[in-house]
Amino acid sequence: MFYDKTAIVTGGESGIGAACAKALGAAGARVVLTYYHDQAAAEAVARSIGDTTRAIAVQADVGDESAVEHLFATAEAAFGPARMLVNSAGLNMSGVMLADMALAQFDRVVRSDLYGPFLTCRRFVRALEAKDQGGRIVNISSIHERAPRPGGVDYDAAKGGLAQLTATLALELAPRRIAVNGVAPGMILTPMNQSALDNPAERAAKEKAIPWGRAGQPEEVAALVTFLLSPAADYITGTTVVIDGALSLTVAQGA
Ligand SMILES: NC(=O)c1ccc[n+]([C@@H]2O[C@H](COP(=O)([O-])OP(=O)(O)OC[C@H]3O[C@@H](n4cnc5c(N)ncnc54)[C@H](O)[C@@H]3O)[C@@H](O)[C@H]2O)c1
């Protein structure tokens, strides 16, 4: 489907990012996937897609401007400018109330979950600007971009900001035919939900709260991301697609 176009997928060593990298690779894209700490996992994802002419893994802290520059320079040297970008790298909420939260904690999550997409989107767009080509961006947000939780001020503020970054950038880039969309998952069974994966009782209790009756799989998110990057989604830009088994609709019930 993607005919050798290049996709950069951040957070590609794990969870949703790994599933996206594999799905895009299977759909014909060349893939540059990033890892933060787990090089072996990232290399395994890359090799499951193909040899180094099809997929490479690059270390990058997405919240670090020079690391993002290195990522894109490496990707361009390998495969030329990327036409697709998926921002999946991110940290979860700390669970610490604002009154007790250190600035460093807030900064850590906002840097990964909001500065990261800012930096990668900016570099992605600049490279396409030089070539005057269209492209597509998907930012992995969360239902918590709208649904706040006590103890989630770091994550929820970052994802709320990401929603506006996505929408604003979509307006800026529409004349250049660069589509920008968000995907907002609910509970997906990845290492971000490791305690539910390890503890059947916890998982069952959480799944009971989901109208669809189960948590989602990373491959289901990857299928949506693949569609949003595909030619069939040409007229979709500036929106966030929720994928959560209707979990986010359950707020304010029974009151
Ligand atoms: N799993 C869920 O239930 C869920 C729900 C809603 C949204 N999300 C979002 O989906 C995205 C992917 O999460 P996941 O579930 O695959 O979790 P995950 O923990 O499996 O993957 C996240 C990856 O991002 C990497 N990362 C974190 N900070 C980084 C940084 N500064 N630079 C580079 N890499 C960094 C981590 O090392 C990890 O590999 C995240 O943005 C997350 O907020 C997940």
Side-chain angles (χ1 to χ4, degrees), residues 13-14 16 60-62 88 90 112 140-141 155 159 185-186 188 190 193:
E13 84 259 51
S14 178
I16 293 169
D61 174 351
V62 297
S88 187
S112 291
I140 307 294
S141 175
Y155 186 82
K159 295 297 192 183
I188 309 297
T190 72
N193 277 309

Side-chain angles (χ1 to χ4, degrees), residues 70-101:
H70 173 259
L71 161 66
F72 277 77
T74 307
E76 284 158 6
F79 300 144
R83 299 287 294 275
M84 298 176 278
L85 170 66
V86 179
N87 280 307
S88 187
L91 296 172
N92 204 354
M93 66 184 264
S94 59
V96 178
M97 301 292 168
L98 183 146
D100 301 319
M101 190 179 291

Side-chain angles (χ1 to χ4, degrees), residues 170-188:
L171 277 179
E172 291 184 5
L173 297 179
R176 290 175 46 205
R177 292 291 187 271
I178 300 174
V180 191
N181 290 295
V183 163
M187 180 184 180
I188 309 297

Side-chain angles (χ1 to χ4, degrees), residues 89 109-119 157-163 165:
V109 177
V110 172
R111 191 158 283 284
S112 291
D113 296 19
L114 183 56
Y115 278 42
F118 168 83
L119 290 169
K159 295 297 192 183
L162 182 57
L165 184 152

